[in-house]
Amino acid sequence: MTPSRTAAEAVFSALRDAGRVILATHTHPDGDAIGSLVAMRLVLERIGISSRVFIAAQDLPLPEELATYDLGEVVHEDTVDVRGRTVVFLDCGNADRTPLGEWLPEIPVLVNIDHHHDNTRFGTINLIDPTASSTAEMVWELAQMLGVPITTDIAEPLYVGLLTDTGRFSYENTTPRAHAMAADLIAAGVDLTGVRRRLYEDVRPAKLHLLRAALESMAIHGDGLLVSARVTEEDFRGAQATEAHAEGIIDVLRVVRGVRIAALARELDVQPGTFKVSLRAADPTVDVSAIARASGGGGHPQAAGFTTQLGDADLADFILGQLREQDAGGAAA
Ligand SMILES: [Mn+2]
């Protein structure tokens, strides 16, 4: 199911009527979040709708590799009042993941454009396509419906969203449509070498120091079904690493032979003792988003997350218990 023309038209008539449009995404914005924001702002600009990008103060500055794109004048909670405005949320599965949570009831028109299958449809207009690889893919389709040419400046951020959300074209969401989109974007002039270097090769030593700390903590649980690792606040300090440097560690873990789930717990500097857990399914029959939801989080069947205060052993017990329930419940789980 691709977004229907009618749904897309509802989105754009809402935006056209709006005086002041704000574009927002989830907290800890990733490549798809930023890529979609950058591209959407340009697409709207091309059809005469001006918008501003909202990023929470706590998420600024953005990770270096995502900070190269033109977001225009970024606004945050101290610089803009979003009440009474039209807000477009991109790549945001539920209201809890928005940095605007407490203001949502005061936002009259809330456009929710997303590909998370468990999106809670918190918008007043919801354009949700779980078959899309990324929100970037949905923005690409909207641009085409509107007849907006995919110029290089639009193509490159969209490519970043596509590339990061498909795990460099390796996850289950790497559909023929995802590859067709890649072909279109490359034809539009994406600097593939530049993107690859910036996202994956321009690695700071801090990132490898943090990876080492994670691997030192690596443990295999449940007769090899689960691999887990943990990085503490002390590890971050020792490695001189930031949250962004933890990106990609989970992908190192998930390739272990025989493993069905990989889990990486990282301690939040704002809440010592609380860990953000990333889950990846190494087995396509596992739905890690259901496990994340059971602990108040969310995500995709193959990649999800939640926060916890559980230690290693209890966390492993929780995940393995959820996995057993899924296996017992079969497709209904
Ligand atoms: Mn996404």
Side-chain angles (χ1 to χ4, degrees):
M1 169 192 68
T2 58
S4 71
R5 182 162 282 274
T6 351
E9 272 162 9
V11 168
F12 284 100
S13 75
L15 295 180
R16 204 161 256 132
D17 295 343
R20 304 180 296 174
V21 176
I22 297 278
L23 305 179
T25 185
H26 55 79
T27 50
H28 291 302
D30 57 10
D32 191 29
I34 298 299
S36 298
L37 283 176
V38 173
M40 187 71 171
R41 191 176 80 88
L42 293 172
V43 168
L44 292 179
E45 193 180 275
R46 302 284 144 86
I47 57 166
I49 299 173
S50 75
S51 60
R52 279 188 176 175
V53 170
F54 180 101
I55 294 179
Q58 61 165 38
D59 290 326
L60 293 169
L62 293 173
E64 274 179 280
E65 68 275 17
L66 299 176
T68 53
Y69 297 102
D70 183 14
L71 286 161
E73 186 207 338
V74 173
V75 293
H76 56 81
E77 55 272 44
D78 299 330
T79 60
V80 72
D81 188 353
V82 297
R83 286 170 295 192
R85 300 208 182 196
T86 295
V87 179
V88 182
F89 282 96
L90 293 158
D91 200 45
C92 197
N94 62 65
D96 295 339
R97 291 200 72 205
T98 75
L100 297 174
E102 63 203 66
W103 285 333
L104 291 189
E106 297 173 68
I107 296 171
V109 184
L110 216 161
V111 182
N112 176 9
I113 302 176
D114 184 38
H115 69 123
H116 290 85
H117 74 116
D118 57 355
N119 187 293
T120 56
R121 310 185 81 89
F122 60 89
T124 49
I125 298 172
N126 297 287
L127 187 60
I128 312 300
D129 181 6
T131 70
S133 64
S134 50
T135 300
E137 187 175 307
M138 298 178 70
V139 174
W140 174 66
E141 284 176 341
L142 286 169
Q144 292 174 86
M145 285 179 196
L146 290 162
V148 171
I150 304 292
T151 46
T152 311
D153 55 346
I154 294 177
E156 194 157 303
L158 288 178
Y159 188 79
V160 167
L162 176 67
L163 189 67
T164 53
D165 258 29
T166 59
R168 291 187 252 183
F169 304 106
S170 68
Y171 300 154
E172 297 295 309
N173 60 355
T174 308
T175 58
R177 190 153 52 118
H179 277 296
M181 171 177 168
D184 185 50
L185 300 182
I186 293 166
V190 172
D191 172 13
L192 292 182
T193 305
V195 169
R196 190 190 72 236
R197 287 213 177 118
R198 200 159 52 242
L199 288 180
Y200 302 111
E201 293 175 10
D202 193 20
V203 171
R204 299 295 170 111
K207 187 168 172 128
L208 294 188
H209 286 308
L210 191 68
L211 173 63
R212 176 173 54 201
L215 292 180
E216 266 169 13
S217 77
M218 186 189 89
I220 305 286
H221 312 268
D223 293 325
L225 297 181
L226 168 68
V227 58
S228 74
R230 170 170 299 238
V231 279
T232 62
E233 189 42 36
E234 202 182 323
D235 294 327
F236 276 103
R237 253 183 289 122
Q240 294 189 293
T242 63
E243 167 87 19
H245 293 116
E247 195 73 35
I249 294 177
I250 189 80
D251 297 309
V252 175
L253 300 173
R254 70 184 271 277
V255 299
V256 175
R257 179 179 291 180
V259 153
R260 296 178 71 199
I261 298 177
L264 174 69
R266 47 191 202 279
E267 194 170 15
L268 300 173
D269 58 348
V270 287
Q271 273 171 284
T274 299
F275 289 78
K276 188 167 198 291
V277 181
S278 298
L279 296 177
R280 291 289 183 281
D283 165 354
T285 68
V286 174
D287 177 3
V288 291
S289 71
I291 300 175
R293 272 196 305 281
S295 194
H300 302 284
Q302 302 300 304
F306 61 98
T307 56
T308 189
Q309 292 175 332
L310 294 177
D312 272 325
D314 290 338
L315 178 60
D317 283 349
F318 166 71
I319 295 169
L320 288 168
Q322 289 288 318
L323 179 60
R324 269 192 301 278
E325 271 180 37
Q326 267 187 33
D327 287 343

